[in-house]
Amino acid sequence: MSNSKLYPEAYPMSSGNPNAAYSSEGVGGYQPKKKRNKWLWIGLPILLIVIIIAAVLGGVLGSRASNNDDSSASSSNSNSGSNNANTGVPSGVSGVNTAGATSTGADGQVYLAVATDSYLLPVYATGTATAGYSAPTVGSSNGWPTDPSPPSNSSIRPNPRLAPAYKWTALTSDLIANNLYFKQWNATIVQNASDTLGDDPTPYTEDGGLSGSGVLDVAREIKLKVKNWAYAYKVTNETKYADRVWLELQTAAGNNSDVAFGADDGTRWNPAHFLDVAEFCAAFAIGYDWLYDFWTDEQRDAIMWSILNLGLRLGYNALSGDSSASAYNWWAGSATGNAQVNGNWNCVINGGLTQAAIAIMDRDQSGLAQKVLDLTVPDAYNNCFQAPDSAGSWAETSDYWYFGTTGAAEMVNALITAYGDDRGLAESNPGFNLTSLYHIYIQGMTSKFNAGDHGPNKYTATANSLLLWANIFDTPRYALYQRDHIDASEPWSMFWYDPATTGTWWDGLALDHHFDAAENQWATGRSTWSDNSGTYWAMRAAKLQGHQTHGDLDVGDFVLDAMGQRWAGELGSGQYLSDGYFSSEAQDSERWLYYRKRTEGQNTLLINSMNQNVDAAPTGNFGSSGTAQGPAPSLELQTDDTAYFWTDMTSAYNGTGGVKRGIRFLNGRKQILLQDDVTTSPTLQWRMHTNATVETNQATATLKLGGETLVASIVQGPSGASFSTATPTRLSTDPALPTGTEDADQPNDGVTVLTIDVADGGSFSLQVLFTPQWGDGFTALNNVSNVALDNWSLTSHN
Ligand SMILES: *[C@@H]1O[C@H](CO)[C@@H](O)[C@H](O)[C@H]1NC(C)=O
Ligand SMILES: *[C@@H]1O[C@H](CO)[C@@H](O)[C@H](O)[C@H]1NC(C)=O
Ligand SMILES: *[C@@H]1O[C@H](CO)[C@@H](O)[C@H](O)[C@H]1NC(C)=O
Ligand SMILES: *[C@@H]1O[C@H](CO)[C@@H](O)[C@H](O)[C@H]1NC(C)=O
Ligand SMILES: *[C@@H]1O[C@H](CO)[C@@H](O)[C@H](O)[C@H]1NC(C)=O
Ligand SMILES: *[C@@H]1O[C@H](CO)[C@@H](O)[C@H](O)[C@H]1NC(C)=O
Ligand SMILES: *[C@@H]1O[C@H](CO)[C@@H](O)[C@H](O)[C@H]1NC(C)=O
Ligand SMILES: *[C@@H]1O[C@H](CO)[C@@H](O)[C@H](O)[C@H]1NC(C)=O
Ligand SMILES: *[C@@H]1O[C@H](CO)[C@@H](O)[C@H](O)[C@H]1NC(C)=O
Ligand SMILES: *[C@@H]1O[C@H](CO)[C@@H](O)[C@H](O)[C@H]1NC(C)=O
């Protein structure tokens, strides 16, 4: 086969070398660029990850309803606790579940959430009554019917096999009508499908060039729409939805004469940025599989042709280590020997390729689909599924978690529904089960503890993997948690949620947790799971490398929520296209020149105006009363109920002297103490970024945000220690930024840095007490015991 003959003669590829269509010889098309962009060649392949960039530029966290990134919500959260007596819904909230906490479905289920707040988080009823609230469990009734013909390795399920026929039947004949959650999700999805039916076919719009963010947003939007339209057809039988899928797929195959769609040399789906290929594969797999019964044989062949030639061929080359793919297969750990390919790329790509291979497995006479599947499973086993550390934390940040876990869940789903088991993927790392717990704990009362980079638009990445993992890890709590979230209105939920699940997700769940693996160490405490006006703190003491170049220099960084406001918050991603942003995690990386990534851009100590040492190995010391919430939404706490975390972070400051930082609850979790114990410090600055307006008066700072007030007071410190404010911008002593056009710090509008300066303070303990002004009936504790961090215990401050 000559290079010019990219496409097989005709489908099916029955003659000649079955590998010809995807061997390096026949690969044609993709030629690695001779001259690469600077960010493509600097350092490790891991850097390419980053180039996702995408929509980050244009308002990262857009307002898509399927986007669960709570950072997109406005900060004007009016949920401050006053209730409308009739509905139990706090005033100022609105949302999807207005049926109320007592609304029951035909099967006796209740909505737990009564509304959605301005952060897109569920709002729960209040009260101490336990009727309707119970421990998470999977009941014996109202669930899925038994699979009438379970598949096996030797007998793959017939199409549709990514979402099996018996589930479609059960949904439309019975489950949607009788299950409150299914009913609501179904209505939302079909409405969306209907609303978007008249859209033009998604255009091929490049973002930052093909080797920048490529056409990832295009692929993800097509996947989202195909999924919604295919779903709508299946539950309504209205052919307009299936026809619209066909138009979209034909366009993305490059066969719509009215719409140009990428290069005609086999690289249409953009292997230069391989996530794009994978998401197109997933879109075509879902379109092919869910609508299998609707398509004619010619249409099935046509869709399969694109899957094989624009997708699986390139995936095979990459995963088999073929030299033709060496410019873009850094994410294929098994083929390249690259270590630490444990981020979302490996999950998204293996997930997309796997779904595509499985969808067409028995129709593909060339054997390519089987060969791809034989490579994706071990590659994902060794890489994607090792992404969470042993405690469950996702190495890349809490936002990249969405992409990684969605890819992993789609892959596991495809294997199980087609063959009956996931080939050991989910069990391969005990931390994978715990990554759902990580997601639950990293959600604060407003935003997540969203340290590091936030990543691109989510489109089809949701937290709905929790619905699937609930079944796989026998933990119904995960499903109960997710089903009340707004991003649950999505087609996969209709198959992954077990409708026999009942109970209250927080019942028995500890308020505090220490994610204690050193790579990504952090800890968190909260006053309640069921009321977003409560208190929440989280603090990082993670290593500064090993985050796929998405981290910050942030040992000791913390966030603080109370009264529905984020008082100490994160600045988020910098400009992904700026010079050296993803160059490396080394001390001299250009990444660490940008304010949002520097130590001064974090809520931690800045010593000698210098960045933390990237080799830092902070310790962690955690204590908790062990309080777990009961079934009722309201939780009464004793005044000595507490949780604390402190870290020896001396190594982040090059080991001179000692630098320890801790945070704890006081006064029954209504107040928070932040303490720094420092020996022999030269010049030190305490920094905290806030959206609040700040008024300082010596040792007191009054913060106002969203109509609420929080007072910060220095209760211990070197003599004369007092608050000041600063702008969230580079220090005059910082080394210069690179000079390209994209190379500027982002403005941090509305943010003030609250500071405390200590000039050569010797040894001291600096203690800041945060007192939210709770109003009626609240008595603040002002006399705080002075206890060295080394001596902190559960009772040290009683
Ligand atoms: C419907 O889908 C579009 C993308 O096609 C998305 O922008 C929008 O947020 C979705 N709306 C809902 C309610 O899911
Ligand atoms: C699913 O939602 C659509 C749109 O609201 C509706 O037409 C259909 O009847 C629903 N399906 C069931 C089984 O209720
Ligand atoms: C759609 O049509 C098929 C074939 O006639 C039928 O079996 C199925 O029940 C219909 N589904 C719905 C949701 O009406
Ligand atoms: C697109 O065009 C190619 C090349 O002519 C053809 O083989 C394939 O079947 C078409 N696919 C779709 C989805 O129209
Ligand atoms: C199916 O095959 C895979 C891979 O060959 C293997 O890992 C798995 O254990 C098999 N499952 C069963 C039930 O035999
Ligand atoms: C998964 O983790 C949960 C804690 O979130 C635990 O209760 C459960 O037993 C674990 N499941 C498995 C299969 O290990
Ligand atoms: C300020 O508010 C925005 C929007 O809610 C949020 O994304 C950001 O993290 C906040 N910044 C700080 C420093 O709290
Ligand atoms: C620690 O040392 C590194 C050089 O090894 C330097 O880049 C960094 O700024 C220093 N940080 C502090 C806080 O001294
Ligand atoms: C503050 O608490 C200490 C004990 O921790 C006690 O000795 C002291 O009298 C208290 N001071 C006031 C003013 O209450
Ligand atoms: C911790 O408590 C012990 C016993 O009360 C005391 O001897 C020691 O000095 C304390 N350590 C610090 C660092 O204050």
Side-chain angles (χ1 to χ4, degrees):
M1 207 173 192
S2 80
N3 269 358
S4 62
K5 200 183 281 177
L6 168 66
Y7 306 128
E9 306 280 350
Y11 189 79
M13 296 180 277
S14 49
S15 61
N17 174 3
N19 293 352
Y22 50 89
S23 68
S24 54
E25 188 195 1
V27 95
Y30 188 83
Q31 295 294 330
K33 284 185 218 147
K34 294 279 178 318
K35 184 174 184 312
R36 300 185 208 154
N37 290 331
K38 53 191 166 188
W39 67 74
L40 284 179
W41 62 263
I42 304 168
L44 310 164
I46 300 177
L47 317 183
L48 298 188
I49 295 178
V50 260
I51 310 173
I52 314 167
I53 319 160
V56 180
L57 320 181
V60 189
L61 310 158
S63 57
R64 282 164 205 283
S66 60
N67 171 347
N68 187 40
D69 195 308
D70 29 57
S71 307
S72 64
S74 87
S75 60
S76 63
N77 181 349
S78 52
N79 167 21
S80 56
S82 64
N83 282 6
N84 175 324
N86 295 328
T87 61
V89 181
S91 60
V93 297
S94 62
V96 287
N97 289 339
T98 47
T102 56
S103 170
T104 53
D107 59 6
Q109 291 202 351
V110 298
Y111 281 138
L112 206 54
V114 296
T116 300
D117 72 13
S118 62
Y119 284 93
L120 302 183
L121 296 175
V123 175
Y124 300 99
T126 55
T128 51
T130 54
Y133 300 102
S134 57
T137 185
V138 177
S140 54
S141 55
N142 306 313
W144 290 107
T146 305
D147 187 346
S149 47
S152 68
N153 276 344
S154 53
S155 66
I156 190 171
R157 184 190 301 280
N159 299 97
R161 63 171 63 111
L162 301 178
Y166 80 93
K167 286 198 171 182
W168 288 109
T169 304
L171 283 168
T172 50
S173 65
D174 168 32
L175 290 176
I176 291 174
N178 288 324
N179 181 283
L180 280 179
Y181 288 90
F182 277 150
K183 194 175 198 166
Q184 179 201 316
W185 299 338
N186 171 70
T188 308
I189 299 162
V190 176
Q191 185 64 49
N192 192 304
S194 168
D195 290 348
T196 53
L197 204 54
D199 289 4
D200 287 339
T202 310
Y204 197 86
T205 312
E206 294 176 28
D207 180 3
L210 284 176
S211 54
S213 288
V215 285
L216 179 58
D217 275 0
V218 178
R220 286 185 168 152
E221 184 169 343
I222 290 171
K223 179 180 170 190
L224 173 66
K225 288 180 160 180
V226 165
K227 218 167 31 151
N228 286 347
W229 290 325
Y231 174 86
Y233 169 73
K234 293 289 281 186
V235 297
T236 63
N237 271 347
E238 292 184 49
T239 55
K240 64 184 180 185
Y241 293 116
D243 290 339
R244 189 60 188 79
V245 171
W246 178 246
L247 173 62
E248 196 73 9
L249 294 184
Q250 268 211 308
T251 304
N255 295 351
N256 179 343
S257 53
D258 296 334
V259 185
F261 203 91
D264 195 21
D265 60 359
T267 64
R268 197 182 303 286
W269 289 355
N270 195 28
H273 186 249
F274 214 89
L275 287 176
D276 312 6
V277 175
E279 296 284 33
F280 280 118
C281 278
F284 275 62
I286 291 166
Y288 175 93
D289 183 66
W290 292 10
L291 297 184
Y292 185 86
D293 294 335
F294 178 83
W295 305 130
T296 62
D297 268 334
E298 289 70 27
Q299 286 175 307
R300 293 171 187 156
D301 286 346
I303 299 170
M304 179 169 75
W305 184 93
S306 298
I307 288 176
L308 286 168
N309 290 282
L310 303 178
L312 295 187
R313 184 176 57 88
L314 298 163
Y316 178 80
N317 289 341
L319 285 162
S320 63
D322 190 286
S323 59
S324 67
S326 59
Y328 56 76
N329 74 342
W330 61 267
W331 49 266
S334 307
T336 59
N338 286 342
Q340 278 203 317
V341 191
N342 57 358
N344 76 96
W345 274 67
N346 191 273
C347 297
V348 170
I349 294 172
N350 282 313
L353 294 172
T354 297
Q355 292 184 91
I358 286 178
I360 61 167
M361 187 58 75
D362 46 352
R363 189 173 197 84
D364 169 32
Q365 300 301 305
S366 74
L368 176 56
Q370 184 63 54
K371 282 169 180 279
V372 168
L373 184 62
D374 291 343
L375 293 171
T376 56
V377 173
D379 195 53
Y381 188 103
N382 292 322
N383 297 283
C384 164
F385 283 84
Q386 309 313 315
D389 66 28
S390 60
S393 297
W394 193 266
E396 279 169 300
T397 74
S398 62
D399 273 301
Y400 280 97
W401 175 96
Y402 287 91
F403 302 110
T405 53
T406 296
E410 289 181 338
M411 183 167 183
V412 162
N413 167 70
L415 287 164
I416 292 177
T417 59
Y419 295 108
D421 83 67
D422 76 351
R423 308 195 169 177
L425 291 178
E427 307 273 305
S428 68
N429 167 15
F432 212 90
N433 173 17
L434 300 176
T435 208
S436 296
L437 215 51
Y438 161 83
H439 175 71
I440 292 172
Y441 278 101
I442 211 154
Q443 177 65 58
M445 299 288 170
T446 59
S447 305
K448 288 190 295 297
F449 182 20
N450 44 5
D453 289 341
H454 292 174
N457 275 329
K458 303 248 175 345
Y459 289 97
T460 53
T462 67
N464 291 330
S465 62
L466 266 68
L467 301 172
L468 183 70
W469 307 135
N471 311 325
I472 288 174
F473 295 117
D474 199 15
T475 307
R477 189 190 307 287
Y478 299 158
L480 294 170
Y481 174 87
Q482 176 59 15
R483 69 181 189 176
D484 283 317
H485 283 75
I486 199 162
D487 60 339
S489 292
E490 185 257 341
W492 283 130
S493 302
M494 304 300 295
F495 299 90
W496 296 351
Y497 176 59
D498 179 347
T501 315
T502 62
T504 311
W505 61 264
W506 58 67
D507 189 13
L509 186 60
L511 296 177
D512 316 312
H513 199 83
H514 180 198
F515 288 82
D516 60 1
E519 310 93 281
N520 304 294
Q521 177 169 242
W522 66 287
T524 175
R526 70 182 69 222
S527 63
T528 170
W529 282 112
S530 52
D531 177 358
N532 291 334
S533 64
T535 48
Y536 173 83
W537 57 254
M539 180 178 280
R540 278 175 76 76
K543 294 192 172 177
L544 298 175
Q545 297 184 316
H547 308 299
Q548 306 266 315
T549 327
H550 284 306
D552 300 339
L553 296 181
D554 63 356
V555 180
D557 177 51
F558 75 104
V559 294
L560 175 61
D561 292 342
M563 302 186 298
Q565 310 301 326
R566 173 141 297 186
W567 298 99
E570 298 286 336
L571 300 177
S573 305
Q575 157 63 281
Y576 279 22
L577 290 173
S578 53
D579 221 37
Y581 189 79
F582 293 117
S583 55
S584 79
E585 295 173 325
Q587 192 76 50
D588 62 356
S589 167
E590 287 182 309
R591 178 178 181 81
W592 312 133
L593 294 173
Y594 295 98
Y595 181 80
R596 293 184 175 189
K597 307 293 109 186
R598 293 178 71 75
T599 300
E600 68 208 39
Q602 320 305 320
N603 301 324
T604 192
L605 299 178
L606 185 67
I607 294 184
N608 284 341
S609 305
M610 290 172 85
N611 271 335
Q612 290 178 343
N613 190 312
V614 298
D615 293 323
T619 67
N621 309 273
F622 173 76
S624 163
S625 303
T627 311
Q629 192 152 344
S634 294
L635 175 62
E636 292 297 323
L637 295 170
Q638 303 298 312
T639 52
D640 61 353
D641 194 290
T642 193
Y644 67 82
F645 176 72
W646 68 269
T647 175
D648 183 337
M649 53 181 192
T650 310
S651 55
Y653 299 98
N654 295 335
T656 50
V659 188
K660 297 172 184 172
R661 155 164 282 211
I663 192 165
R664 74 179 297 141
F665 281 123
L666 297 176
N667 197 6
R669 300 183 183 242
K670 292 195 183 70
Q671 288 172 276
I672 296 95
L673 177 68
L674 178 68
Q675 177 166 331
D676 294 292
D677 289 353
V678 179
T679 50
T680 61
S681 146
T683 311
L684 173 148
Q685 191 177 51
W686 180 106
R687 295 172 72 86
M688 173 182 132
H689 294 75
T690 184
N691 281 332
T693 57
V694 180
E695 234 175 69
T696 62
N697 180 5
Q698 309 288 337
T700 302
T702 304
L703 283 65
K704 289 194 186 328
L705 182 61
E708 305 291 352
T709 302
L710 174 139
V711 173
S713 10
I714 301 172
V715 291
Q716 284 288 331
S719 72
S722 62
F723 284 114
S724 306
T725 57
T727 55
T729 51
R730 314 162 49 69
L731 305 180
S732 58
T733 52
D734 287 350
L737 284 173
T739 52
T741 50
E742 308 277 6
D743 309 331
D745 280 319
Q746 282 59 59
N748 297 305
D749 294 336
V751 176
T752 298
V753 194
L754 183 62
T755 60
I756 304 168
D757 283 295
V758 180
D760 195 6
S763 293
F764 60 89
S765 180
L766 176 59
Q767 300 176 22
V768 175
L769 177 65
F770 296 106
T771 306
Q773 303 299 296
W774 297 103
D776 290 352
F778 170 63
T779 309
L781 170 94
N782 295 312
N783 184 6
V784 178
S785 310
N786 182 8
V787 184
L789 288 166
D790 280 323
N791 279 346
W792 273 18
S793 72
L794 291 175
T795 54
S796 55
H797 291 67
N798 291 353

